[in-house]
Amino acid sequence: MKRIDFLNELYHYLRALSPEERNDILEDYRLHFIEGEKEGKSEEQICEELGDPVECARQYVGDLVVVEAEPTPVKKSKSAKKKKKNRIDKETRRKIFWTISFIWNIIQAIISVPTTCTIFLVAAIMVVFFCFVVPLTGSVAFFFFGFFATLSVFLLGVIVLLWTMIEIKTCINKINGEGK
Amino acid sequence: MNTQFKKGVLELCALTALTTGDLYGYELADMLGKKITVSEGSVYPMLKRLQNEGYFETYLIESSTGPARKYYRITQQGLDRQRVLQEQWCEFTEQVNSFFQEAE
């Protein structure tokens, strides 16, 4: 293990503390590495002497906060066990729901991009088509038909474009949200 | 050696080490780690705890060869605590030793 790995892991498991306290604690270990290296020890050797960073963190914050690193089997009453199981189920359900909705968002985003392009392309073709055809026929009704048909296709394109942007934004928000 | 057992002893050793003079963090961790084969990383949480309980004070001294060193100085409260713990330890080991002697 390298110095950076040790410090990162320690910092991570101290997350229950305030940033000032975390930095204060980290400072002690940073100085320890510097002093150790002055004595000619390697980073790996110092890490070995320091021991497990999770164990160090545990001594600052107690068992509760680092429990995810090493689930310790604790005897619990039946109801407490059940409660915990329910909580896990709820968490799993939430995760499954999140994943499905996320995939759905991605699918929508992927589909809507070519859809938008196609619709705008159709609108453009229609404009060109009517520009050529309307003067040939000289019909006013046909002109209005062409005008409104093109306009509605164009508006549909704008709606789908907005929808695409919303879906992409939702995806980005979800990725950021889950990262925290 | 059992970790819980070591933890209690570690406190007594740190207090005792500081009765003869101030030491900085690395010195203490290195000394305790070598003499009672405890992981050096667990020395710092213990030092912080004892400091919070008022047994130690800390101060910084600039070092010419690197960053400032954090020194630990034992307080009067710490000295009292050391004496009590040492008495308890001696009493306890005597009892355990007499138990061994009877068993022989």
Side-chain angles (χ1 to χ4, degrees):
Chain A
M1 191 185 242
K2 298 293 262 183
R3 176 219 304 253
I4 188 77
D5 302 320
F6 183 94
L7 294 177
N8 277 342
E9 203 165 323
L10 179 63
Y11 190 77
H12 174 75
Y13 286 110
L14 292 173
R15 65 188 177 283
L17 305 177
S18 71
E20 293 81 36
E21 282 176 299
R22 285 165 102 182
N23 281 328
D24 199 36
I25 291 166
L26 264 266
E27 193 56 26
D28 280 341
Y29 288 90
R30 272 192 214 108
L31 288 176
H32 187 94
F33 274 101
I34 292 169
E35 296 287 349
E37 279 170 1
K38 262 197 246 169
E39 292 201 347
K41 290 180 189 168
S42 68
E43 287 186 19
E44 286 82 0
Q45 194 185 346
I46 298 167
C47 283
E48 197 165 305
E49 286 171 353
L50 282 173
D52 185 4
V54 181
E55 191 47 48
C56 295
R58 199 193 292 280
Q59 293 184 40
Y60 286 107
V61 296
D63 282 325
L64 280 172
V65 194
V66 280
V67 86
E68 66 171 65
E70 191 185 273
T72 40
V74 185
K75 273 189 188 170
K76 276 185 182 155
S77 71
K78 248 187 176 172
S79 67
K81 246 184 193 166
K82 214 176 166 189
K83 223 175 175 180
K84 205 183 168 203
K85 211 182 159 208
N86 272 344
R87 210 178 60 222
I88 290 169
D89 283 350
K90 220 174 167 185
E91 179 70 5
T92 320
R93 272 208 299 274
R94 197 191 67 79
K95 275 206 170 136
I96 290 172
F97 176 75
W98 185 90
T99 315
I100 290 173
S101 70
F102 182 63
I103 291 170
W104 178 232
N105 283 132
I106 290 177
I107 291 173
Q108 286 189 77
I110 290 172
I111 292 174
S112 57
V113 172
T115 311
T116 316
C117 296
T118 314
I119 291 172
F120 279 123
L121 190 67
V122 169
I125 290 171
M126 279 168 87
V127 169
V128 175
F129 175 75
F130 284 112
C131 281
F132 277 106
V133 175
V134 169
L136 284 180
T137 57
S139 157
V140 178
F142 196 63
F143 167 74
F144 277 111
F145 168 73
F147 179 74
F148 285 113
T150 314
L151 189 67
S152 45
V153 171
F154 182 74
L155 285 177
L156 183 68
V158 171
I159 291 168
V160 177
L161 180 68
L162 286 175
W163 172 51
T164 313
M165 282 161 72
I166 290 167
E167 288 303 331
I168 291 174
K169 206 165 175 222
T170 315
C171 286
I172 292 169
N173 284 347
K174 278 189 172 171
I175 291 167
N176 288 343
E178 194 68 1
K180 265 169 202 166
Chain B
M1 214 200 291
N2 180 296
T3 42
Q4 277 301 318
F5 191 66
K6 263 185 193 171
K7 234 168 142 179
V9 181
L10 193 63
E11 189 180 322
L12 172 59
C13 290
L15 285 161
T16 309
L18 286 170
T19 53
T20 52
D22 300 353
L23 296 167
Y24 58 92
Y26 181 83
E27 272 182 314
L28 264 170
D30 193 47
M31 180 197 286
L32 293 171
K34 276 184 188 133
K35 286 195 176 162
I36 49 176
T37 54
V38 65
S39 59
E40 292 181 13
S42 59
V43 172
Y44 292 102
M46 182 267 304
L47 290 175
K48 191 155 211 78
R49 191 163 44 80
L50 293 189
Q51 189 190 342
N52 289 343
E53 286 169 12
Y55 300 139
F56 298 149
E57 289 166 346
T58 59
Y59 59 95
L60 292 175
I61 285 194
E62 294 297 327
S63 160
S64 54
T65 53
R69 282 171 170 165
K70 188 157 128 188
Y71 275 83
Y72 292 83
R73 182 197 296 128
I74 195 163
T75 60
Q76 186 54 49
Q77 213 183 331
L79 287 170
D80 296 341
R81 173 81 176 156
Q82 193 277 336
R83 216 182 43 244
V84 171
L85 281 179
Q86 191 179 341
E87 276 166 19
Q88 284 177 354
W89 171 259
C90 292
E91 199 183 330
F92 183 67
T93 46
E94 266 169 38
Q95 287 164 356
V96 176
N97 283 339
S98 71
F99 199 78
F100 289 150
Q101 278 158 13
E102 276 170 34
E104 269 170 14

